[in-house]
């Protein structure tokens, strides 16, 4: 079946450093991806999305890179802040309506 | 703009009991999703509605789970009877376009 998986379950970074969270997906037909942030006790919050016809998309302090050749995408957070501490999920959509979520990476920002 | 509302926020029941969750999506969002999120995992789609019709319920355990979305707005998800492995957070999300989804805060269910 479809799957997306994050490379590392946990990541710790110093405040002010850049963070990179990686995700791999299995279905080469996946055509749309979303990164979500989930804080404790809350539902996932949309961060940024990217379609398969793009390689890169930038938002405010965040950049998503998509490498379709190796079926990999990454989320880069610039100047990481304590408020960025959360679990980050990538989710993929392939040719239909069902999103497949990864298991998440827990980001801890050290002040 | 009001977000996705869910209730209750927490529920504790004994196995074999029944439970129901309620979701009110963002106004104007035709697509509604119910997800199950087990601790330490990503959300897993249980059912997806487009207006009041079911688009995908392939991962819904239909022997015990049911969901409805009357009038294409609010939705309820029911579990009857509950099992220990149903302990999870149940998330409701809605979408206008079928792409970007907005999630509610979830209902944390504990089955003892």
């Amino acid at each position: 079946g479809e799957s997306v998986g994050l490379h590392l379950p946990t990541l710790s970074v110093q405040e002010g450093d850049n963070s990179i969270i990686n995700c791999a997906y299995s279905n080469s037909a996946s055509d749309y991806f979303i990164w979500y942030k989930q804080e404790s006790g809350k539902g996932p919050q949309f961060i940024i999305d990217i379609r398969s016809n793009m390689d890169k998309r930038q938002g405010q302090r965040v950049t998503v890179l998509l490498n379709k050749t190796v079926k990999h995408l990454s989320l880069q957070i610039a100047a990481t802040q304590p408020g960025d501490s959360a679990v980050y999920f990538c989710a993929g959509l392939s040719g239909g309506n069902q999103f497949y979520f990864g298991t998440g990476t827990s980001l801890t920002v050290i002040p | 703009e009001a977000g996705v509302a869910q209730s209750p926020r927490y529920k504790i029941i004994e196995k074999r009991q029944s439970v129901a969750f309620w979701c009110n999506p963002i106004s104007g969002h035709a697509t509604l999703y119910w997800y199950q999120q087990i601790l330490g995992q990503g959300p897993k789609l249980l059912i997806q509605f487009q207006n009041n019709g079911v688009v995908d319920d392939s991962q819904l355990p239909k022997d015990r789970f049911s969901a409805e979305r009357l009038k294409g707005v609010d939705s309820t998800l029911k579990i009857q009877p509950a099992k220990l492995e149903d302990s999870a957070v149940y998330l409701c999300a809605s979408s206008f376009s079928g792409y970007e989804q907005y999630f509610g805060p979830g209902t944390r269910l504990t089955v003892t």
Side-chain angles (χ1 to χ4, degrees), chain B residues 36-87:
Chain B
Q36 179 192 60
Q37 186 175 24
I38 293 173
L39 185 65
Q41 299 182 17
K44 183 185 82 171
L45 180 69
L46 293 175
I47 189 167
Q48 177 183 341
F49 293 94
Q50 181 74 17
N51 295 309
N52 60 349
V54 176
V55 173
D56 188 336
D57 63 357
S58 58
Q59 298 194 85
L60 187 73
K62 299 180 186 61
D63 58 332
R64 299 184 299 107
F65 286 64
S66 64
E68 60 182 9
R69 191 184 184 195
L70 300 178
K71 302 181 181 178
V73 181
D74 293 5
S75 177
T76 57
L77 175 70
K78 297 179 181 178
I79 307 175
Q80 179 181 8
K83 293 184 176 181
L84 295 176
E85 58 261 35
D86 298 332
S87 294

Side-chain angles (χ1 to χ4, degrees), chain B residues 17-32:
Chain B
Q17 287 187 324
S18 302
V19 64
F21 312 125
W22 173 83
C23 173
N24 179 241
I26 293 173
S27 178
H29 283 194
T31 310
L32 184 147

Side-chain angles (χ1 to χ4, degrees), chain A residues 24-98:
Chain A
Y25 60 95
S26 63
N27 189 342
S28 57
S30 298
D31 53 12
Y32 178 70
F33 302 90
I34 299 179
W35 280 100
Y36 286 97
K37 172 186 180 182
Q38 188 172 27
E39 297 174 280
S40 180
K42 298 183 179 179
Q45 176 187 5
F46 174 92
I47 300 174
I48 192 168
D49 59 357
I50 189 167
R51 296 183 185 273
S52 59
N53 61 353
M54 304 171 68
D55 297 324
K56 179 179 180 179
R57 189 153 190 237
Q58 289 184 294
Q60 186 176 15
R61 283 201 307 117
V62 293
T63 301
V64 55
L65 299 177
L66 176 61
N67 185 329
K68 294 178 287 294
T69 302
V70 295
K71 294 186 283 187
H72 177 274
L73 68 159
S74 65
L75 176 70
Q76 300 178 5
I77 306 173
T80 313
Q81 303 168 359
D84 294 327
S85 293
V87 177
Y88 290 81
F89 293 97
C90 61
L93 179 69
S94 58
N97 300 303
Q98 183 170 141

Side-chain angles (χ1 to χ4, degrees), chain A residues 32 34 36 46 49 99, chain B residues 94-102:
Chain A
Y32 178 70
I34 299 179
Y36 286 97
F46 174 92
D49 59 357
F99 278 93
Chain B
S94 70
S95 174
F96 177 76
S97 64
Y99 287 94
E100 185 174 338
Q101 299 178 31
Y102 294 86

